[in-house]
Amino acid sequence: MANINLKEITLIVGVVTACYWNSLFCGFVFDDVSAILDNKDLHPSTPLKTLFQNDFWGTPMSEERSHKSYRPLTVLTFRLNYLLSELKPMSYHLLNMIFHAVVSVIFLKVCKLFLDNKSSVIASLLFAVHPIHTEAVTGVVGRAELLSSIFFLAAFLSYTRSKGPDNSIIWTPIALTVFLVAVATLCKEQGITVVGICCVYEVFIAQGYTLPLLCTTAGQFLRGKGSIPFSMLQTLVKLIVLMFSTLLLVVIRVQVIQSQLPVFTRFDNPAAVSPTPTRQLTFNYLLPVNAWLLLNPSELCCDWTMGTIPLIESLLDIRNLATFTFFCFLGTLGVFSIRYSGDSSKTVLMALCLMALPFIPASNLFFPVGFVVAERVLYVPSMGFCILVAHGWQKISTKSVFKKLSWICLSMVILTHSLKTFHRNWDWESEYTLFMSALKVNKNNAKLWNNVGHALENEKNFERALKYFLQATHVQPDDIGAHMNVGRTYKNLNRTKEAEESYMMAKSLMPQIIPGKKYAARIAPNHLNVYINLANLIRANESRLEEADQLYRQAISMRPDFKQAYISRGELLLKMNKPLKAKEAYLKALELDRNNADLWYNLAIVHIELKEPNEALKNFNRALELNPKHKLALFNSAIVMQESGEVKLRPEARKRLLSYINEEPLDANGYFNLGMLAMDDKKDNEAEIWMKKAIKLQADFRSALFNLALLYSQTAKELKALPILEELLRYYPDHIKGLILKGDILMNQKKDILGAKKCFERILEMDPSNVQGKHNLCVVYFEEKDLLKAERCLLETLALAPHEEYIQRHLNIVRDKISSSSFIEPIFPTSKISSVEGKKIPTESVKEIRGESRQTQIVKTSDNKSQSKSNKQLGKNGDEETPHKTTKDIKEIEKKRVAALKRLEEIERILNGE
């Protein structure tokens, strides 16, 4: 085996770098979104063992919606990238480029087994620059091909060392080969096909057998005229070991996928669900299509599904000629390679094996795959193609008449391929550029129109997105996902009528339930989201809540393990004031996914509705165990702790609120609630700081403004409270408590009777039955020495609150003064504001826990995007306030009332001359 030198390595690495350096500036696109951005297996908080329980996309292998693509070692490298740079794409692209360079160098070593040095370098260079590899190298998910290829080639090189002197067996390389095959398979499934290449190598290359020789030997043995040679028996032993280890790997792989094949729809692979002979004719035609992409990679496309390649439904279809020609050419090369024993035939045979065997898993021969053509699966087959081209060039260039021309042609091919690869990398810069480049090649694929729409939708360009989604429905009228996308976009444009019509159209395309037949086997699980999206739309109408619930239940009846349907139904049931049924829905969802922090959070909200704060806190804690940075769980659990009244919980509540503002530094609610905690702990200076920070972030923060003013009034800083109250009343002129507090300060501190009178009169304009405002206005009349008006006012106030003794006592004092015509001031104080305005939770919340304006948020589902787009979670509502007071507020009120009554008694004793 010839070794490779440093110059050759430098040349190949330099060429790879020159072709792919611009890929470092590309983002995460297409399948990268699901495999990287939405895959929780990359996060350090996810246990490592989970990588070996989930598929490539982070879905548990046990779930029916899993694609059954088991590649834990590839996901592990993504996780290492995440540890280094989290979700910054440059490091992911850099590692892909390095892996491609490594594969190219190892491939050079493989080439030297069958080609001379010059041809080997040419084959390796052609492989390094071939444009078909941009999807595998520039697309981050293509790393599965890269990693698998490294161990694939390493396993083959190891096996080539298993033949010792005198044709003896060296078992160490064979054991290493089996191990590397297993590793390659854990990177991507096609890694196992290297065993077939090793078998072909052993029989036709290492042992030098030809097909005629094997047939002759077998015939003699069967007729009893001879025995099997010892060398052939040794070869048979090695093959048995290889095949047995392969069978063991296959059995393990089948156990991993739990004997279930992935579910694909006719949109993913139309030929797979077509009848005979359409299915066979189309699948056979796809082989020359893939070969043409290797030969002429001028028109590349990231997605070849749906209507990209029309089905071949007749033997008279002209495309069958391409299939016939391809098989004739392939058959001729195959017969030549196994019939003759020369070096050229061996080279051709290994090239054909590298082209054909690794392609078998993607060929639809043994099981359907979720695509029609995929450029990245040609990564390993292109090795055989490059060897074949280099071998052909070697044959031509040895003839002096073609030598110069062959070099010119070869240089042109490598140069044009390099330029095409470099240019193609820019297509992967963003999802918009990628799918627009695909539409230039193929306009018959509705999925591409949908994905351009998604890219525009992500940029909030809904009008343009709608045009692409509508075009998708024209290209493929029965595409359920396209109609769902149209409906969602209409909803984003607030055109609810058109949105509902589009969802209803998508729903009408869903197949009817057939008793006894599995529904999921006939349609993609994500299409069931049409029921979720339609229900989410119509439940905005309070009169259609039952109709929405019926849609959720219909989705659940179709698929009992449809977790999202239970989550959405739980939200709806809470809205319908049915917390017990909502609890049942969330518990069912938790049976399907106990590691979902959002589900535990939502269940905690249900317990809040059921007035079970202790249970709520347990579920909040469970959510935080799964996701320590779950912002809503941090926030709401802190408020539950605060409102429990238990002093021992306050430090933990403060810790969680500090974590919350670290995650959400621009949310004023976090600072406000830290201020409320400080007020509870009598840390007035700290409370003032937090309140001011909240107001700085949100100038019209009602509760923060009021409580800061109240804090000043309670700490003998009434004059500092006045400008805060002015600001509060500028934003909220109807704020009764603010008016009472302002009137009290104006009368008792500023001696501004007229200003105080205006405050109390404003209160009575809004609420004529407000006892506090009415009583304080009576005090104003008394201060103005209008005793008769003060008497009438107190009589009216007593009628509103006949059981309030202090009003009757004040009335008696006024009457005594009227009868004696004497006046001493002041007789009695204005009623002080005596309650703290409630605590408030983020404005995007929808569910109230306790307190005047504190709210909680249910983690909601958005309209689900189809076509490779991830589901998102939203849930925003405006700020709401409720007049209910906490137990703590009531105690404070009582405490201040007692103090006020004691003060009144002292004044009465003075007035009576005691």
Side-chain angles (χ1 to χ4, degrees):
M1 183 185 299
N3 291 320
I4 54 179
N5 57 51
L6 184 60
K7 288 183 179 179
E8 292 168 338
I9 295 174
T10 304
L11 174 63
I12 292 170
V13 172
V15 168
V16 168
T17 304
C19 288
Y20 285 100
W21 68 265
N22 60 333
S23 69
L24 301 179
F25 305 101
C26 297
F28 294 120
V29 297
F30 204 18
D31 290 339
D32 297 347
V33 175
S34 299
I36 308 296
L37 300 182
D38 299 337
N39 193 347
K40 293 182 180 179
D41 289 348
L42 273 63
H43 301 172
S45 58
T46 303
L48 274 176
K49 66 177 183 179
T50 306
L51 272 66
F52 295 89
Q53 297 170 347
N54 295 348
D55 67 12
F56 187 54
W57 316 98
T59 305
M61 294 292 290
S62 58
E63 291 191 13
E64 193 173 7
R65 63 190 177 94
S66 168
H67 280 208
K68 311 302 179 186
S69 47
Y70 188 65
R71 305 164 192 172
L73 295 186
T74 304
V75 179
L76 184 61
T77 65
F78 292 151
R79 184 162 174 146
L80 291 174
N81 272 121
Y82 188 90
L83 286 174
L84 292 172
S85 63
E86 293 192 346
L87 294 177
K88 296 176 182 177
M90 182 174 285
S91 73
Y92 294 80
H93 289 295
L94 176 62
L95 196 54
N96 270 26
M97 188 173 73
I98 292 171
F99 284 148
H100 180 54
V102 171
V103 174
S104 300
V105 170
I106 300 176
F107 177 58
L108 173 61
K109 196 171 183 66
V110 171
C111 289
K112 291 193 175 188
L113 294 172
F114 314 109
L115 299 169
D116 60 27
N117 283 343
K118 189 183 297 181
S119 300
S120 297
V121 172
I122 288 170
S124 184
L125 284 175
L126 185 59
F127 176 81
V129 304
H130 204 295
I132 202 73
H133 299 154
T134 50
E135 182 171 340
V137 181
T138 310
V140 178
V141 295
R143 186 176 299 176
E145 267 74 24
L146 306 177
L147 279 175
S148 180
S149 298
I150 290 173
F151 297 107
F152 179 102
L153 296 176
F156 176 70
L157 287 174
S158 175
Y159 186 80
T160 60
R161 295 182 173 88
S162 64
K163 181 181 177 181
D166 302 322
N167 208 28
S168 59
I169 302 175
I170 304 177
W171 289 105
T172 301
I174 294 177
L176 180 59
T177 297
V178 173
F179 171 74
L180 291 172
V181 169
V183 174
T185 306
L186 290 174
C187 294
K188 192 176 181 183
E189 298 78 3
Q190 70 180 23
I192 201 170
T193 60
V194 71
V195 174
I197 294 173
C198 291
C199 291
V200 173
Y201 174 84
E202 177 65 31
V203 174
F204 295 99
I205 310 299
Q207 301 302 327
Y209 298 132
T210 61
L211 185 61
L213 178 61
L214 290 174
C215 291
T216 301
T217 303
Q220 290 177 348
F221 176 74
L222 291 173
R223 290 194 299 268
K225 294 183 179 180
S227 60
I228 300 176
F230 180 71
S231 62
M232 194 171 287
L233 287 174
Q234 284 184 311
T235 300
L236 193 59
V237 170
K238 292 171 74 174
L239 295 181
I240 289 173
V241 170
L242 281 177
M243 298 308 295
F244 179 79
S245 60
T246 303
L247 181 62
L248 183 61
L249 286 174
V250 170
V251 170
I252 294 172
R253 183 68 172 82
V254 171
Q255 289 296 317
V256 167
I257 67 173
Q258 302 183 0
S259 303
Q260 293 179 342
L261 289 175
V263 177
F264 298 114
T265 70
R266 59 189 176 87
F267 300 114
D268 297 318
N269 191 348
V273 295
S274 299
T276 303
T278 300
R279 181 169 64 254
Q280 290 77 13
L281 291 174
T282 305
F283 282 156
N284 283 315
Y285 172 68
L286 293 180
L287 298 176
V289 169
N290 281 280
W292 180 251
L293 286 174
L294 289 173
L295 188 63
N296 179 29
S298 59
E299 293 187 340
L300 300 177
C301 181
C302 63
D303 194 313
W304 294 81
T305 56
M306 304 188 86
T308 303
I309 299 177
L311 298 174
I312 298 179
E313 300 177 318
S314 170
L315 290 171
L316 300 177
D317 194 309
I318 192 68
R319 290 175 292 173
N320 289 320
L321 286 176
T323 306
F324 178 76
T325 304
F326 172 77
F327 277 107
C328 285
F329 178 73
L330 203 65
T332 301
L333 289 177
V335 170
F336 166 78
S337 63
I338 62 177
R339 187 176 179 82
Y340 303 103
S341 59
D343 290 341
S344 181
S345 61
K346 290 179 180 179
T347 301
V348 171
L349 177 62
M350 291 311 299
L352 291 176
C353 286
L354 279 169
M355 286 178 67
L357 294 181
F359 188 73
I360 287 176
S363 66
N364 291 282
L365 288 176
F366 301 108
F367 47 82
V369 294
F371 52 83
V372 178
V373 174
E375 292 165 11
R376 63 174 174 262
V377 304
L378 294 174
Y379 189 76
V380 176
S382 69
M383 296 177 184
F385 172 78
C386 292
I387 289 175
L388 208 58
V389 171
H391 181 59
W393 175 85
Q394 179 189 2
K395 292 293 184 183
I396 294 173
S397 63
T398 55
K399 299 179 180 180
S400 57
V401 69
F402 294 117
K403 186 173 183 180
K404 191 173 183 179
L405 181 62
S406 66
W407 275 104
I408 293 173
C409 292
L410 178 65
S411 300
M412 288 296 295
V413 168
I414 292 178
L415 178 62
T416 55
H417 277 38
S418 300
L419 293 174
K420 173 66 176 178
T421 297
F422 184 83
H423 182 265
R424 174 67 174 158
N425 288 334
W426 289 122
D427 291 340
W428 292 79
E429 184 178 13
S430 67
E431 294 209 318
Y432 180 77
T433 57
L434 178 64
F435 297 128
M436 285 301 293
S437 71
L439 280 177
K440 294 175 184 177
V441 176
N442 171 27
K443 290 182 170 58
N444 296 321
N445 187 341
K447 192 173 178 181
L448 293 175
W449 293 99
N450 278 318
N451 283 334
V452 173
H454 287 313
L456 293 168
E457 187 180 31
N458 290 336
E459 297 172 0
K460 307 299 182 185
N461 194 339
F462 298 122
E463 291 288 353
R464 283 189 65 199
L466 180 61
K467 294 178 182 178
Y468 283 91
F469 289 142
L470 287 171
Q471 182 62 30
T473 63
H474 295 149
V475 171
Q476 190 86 38
D478 58 349
D479 182 8
I480 297 171
H483 290 287
M484 290 169 62
N485 293 335
V486 171
R488 186 183 61 256
T489 309
Y490 274 133
K491 182 183 177 184
N492 289 331
L493 292 169
N494 295 318
R495 295 165 64 176
T496 54
K497 182 180 178 181
E498 292 95 330
E500 184 173 348
E501 289 173 356
S502 297
Y503 285 141
M504 290 301 292
M505 173 61 75
K507 182 172 174 285
S508 70
L509 294 171
M510 299 284 283
Q512 298 300 311
I513 300 175
I514 301 175
K517 188 170 182 180
K518 287 188 72 175
Y519 175 80
R522 296 178 293 118
I523 195 165
N526 68 316
H527 284 172
L528 282 171
N529 286 325
V530 67
Y531 294 96
I532 307 299
N533 293 354
L534 181 57
N536 289 347
L537 179 70
I538 66 176
R539 78 183 199 184
N541 186 338
E542 295 288 338
S543 65
R544 301 181 70 184
L545 297 182
E546 289 292 344
E547 186 180 347
D549 189 35
Q550 177 63 31
L551 286 167
Y552 292 136
R553 284 185 280 129
Q554 188 173 355
I556 291 169
S557 68
M558 288 181 169
R559 191 182 180 92
D561 65 344
F562 191 15
K563 177 181 66 180
Q564 198 58 56
Y566 293 105
I567 296 173
S568 297
R569 186 166 186 249
E571 299 169 18
L572 178 67
L573 290 168
L574 273 179
K575 187 175 182 179
M576 296 170 71
N577 198 26
K578 296 179 180 179
L580 289 175
K581 287 188 176 181
K583 180 180 177 182
E584 291 176 8
Y586 286 130
L587 287 174
K588 183 62 180 177
L590 281 168
E591 289 177 14
L592 301 171
D593 184 6
R594 297 195 66 80
N595 294 321
N596 188 320
D598 291 332
L599 282 176
W600 289 103
Y601 170 81
N602 286 358
L603 185 60
I605 299 303
V606 173
H607 284 294
I608 292 295
E609 293 291 323
L610 292 171
K611 312 299 182 187
E612 298 172 351
N614 292 333
E615 288 299 315
L617 189 56
K618 289 179 184 177
N619 289 304
F620 281 138
N621 291 340
R622 179 67 175 136
L624 290 170
E625 287 174 14
L626 294 168
N627 180 8
K629 294 184 178 181
H630 195 292
K631 292 180 283 192
L632 292 173
L634 282 169
F635 193 95
N636 288 311
S637 62
I639 304 308
V640 170
M641 290 177 179
Q642 183 181 359
E643 292 205 342
S644 69
E646 295 186 33
V647 177
K648 63 181 181 181
L649 292 178
R650 287 180 188 168
E652 179 63 22
R654 186 176 187 276
K655 179 182 175 182
R656 294 189 182 186
L657 286 172
L658 288 171
S659 298
Y660 176 78
I661 63 172
N662 186 54
E663 294 295 319
E664 289 286 343
L666 299 180
D667 185 4
N669 296 286
Y671 300 97
F672 167 71
N673 282 283
L674 280 167
M676 298 303 293
L677 265 179
M679 288 180 71
D680 291 342
D681 289 332
K682 309 301 181 186
K683 298 177 180 178
D684 299 332
N685 292 333
E686 182 182 335
E688 181 182 356
I689 292 170
W690 291 122
M691 292 294 182
K692 284 183 175 179
K693 285 186 177 181
I695 294 167
K696 184 177 180 181
L697 287 170
Q698 185 180 333
D700 62 344
F701 198 152
R702 172 176 172 144
S703 297
L705 288 166
F706 176 78
N707 282 292
L708 178 59
L710 187 62
L711 176 66
Y712 283 142
S713 71
Q714 291 174 342
T715 53
K717 300 176 182 177
E718 289 87 348
L719 296 182
K720 291 183 71 175
L722 271 179
I724 304 298
L725 289 169
E726 292 288 352
E727 192 72 7
L728 170 67
L729 294 170
R730 184 169 68 87
Y731 289 113
Y732 308 99
D734 298 340
H735 197 289
I736 291 178
K737 292 180 181 178
L739 287 166
I740 290 175
L741 183 57
K742 181 184 176 183
D744 177 70
I745 295 173
L746 288 175
M747 176 170 287
N748 294 307
Q749 303 298 322
K750 299 281 286 183
K751 306 302 181 183
D752 183 356
I753 305 300
L754 183 59
K757 184 178 182 180
K758 288 180 180 178
C759 290
F760 301 138
E761 286 176 342
R762 174 65 181 147
I763 292 170
L764 294 176
E765 286 176 12
M766 294 183 289
D767 180 13
S769 61
N770 187 288
V771 175
Q772 213 169 4
K774 186 79 171 175
H775 173 267
N776 289 0
L777 185 60
C778 300
V779 176
V780 170
Y781 294 150
F782 187 86
E783 295 288 343
E784 292 177 338
K785 298 185 172 58
D786 192 340
L787 299 180
L788 294 177
K789 197 169 185 179
E791 181 186 25
R792 286 195 303 272
C793 179
L794 286 169
L795 284 170
E796 293 171 1
T797 307
L798 188 61
L800 293 173
H803 302 294
E804 294 290 351
E805 295 181 5
Y806 74 94
I807 299 175
Q808 181 64 57
R809 194 178 301 120
H810 292 173
L811 178 60
N812 293 337
I813 294 173
V814 170
R815 285 174 173 170
D816 288 343
K817 298 311 168 189
I818 291 173
S819 62
S820 64
S821 297
S822 63
F823 180 73
I824 301 176
E825 62 173 315
I827 291 184
F828 40 79
T830 57
S831 300
K832 299 263 186 181
I833 185 70
S834 56
S835 67
V836 176
E837 189 158 311
K839 299 168 180 137
K840 186 175 179 183
I841 271 184
T843 55
E844 64 261 27
S845 56
V846 293
K847 293 294 169 189
E848 295 181 1
I849 295 182
R850 291 169 60 197
E852 182 161 350
S853 60
R854 204 202 60 216
Q855 303 170 344
T856 61
Q857 175 181 349
I858 278 284
V859 179
K860 288 189 172 182
T861 58
S862 68
D863 287 340
N864 299 283
K865 294 185 181 180
S866 65
Q867 312 291 0
S868 307
K869 292 294 164 181
S870 59
N871 300 331
K872 297 182 180 176
Q873 294 180 322
L874 301 172
K876 295 191 177 182
N877 261 358
D879 179 48
E880 299 176 2
E881 291 194 326
T882 170
H884 302 298
K885 299 179 178 62
T886 65
T887 303
K888 178 182 173 183
D889 290 337
I890 295 170
K891 288 180 179 177
E892 289 290 329
I893 293 171
E894 291 300 321
K895 193 183 295 182
K896 293 184 178 183
R897 264 186 73 184
V898 169
L901 289 173
K902 286 182 178 179
R903 186 178 172 194
L904 290 172
E905 289 173 359
E906 291 175 1
I907 293 172
E908 289 170 10
R909 283 198 298 272
I910 293 170
L911 293 173
N912 292 326
E914 295 178 3

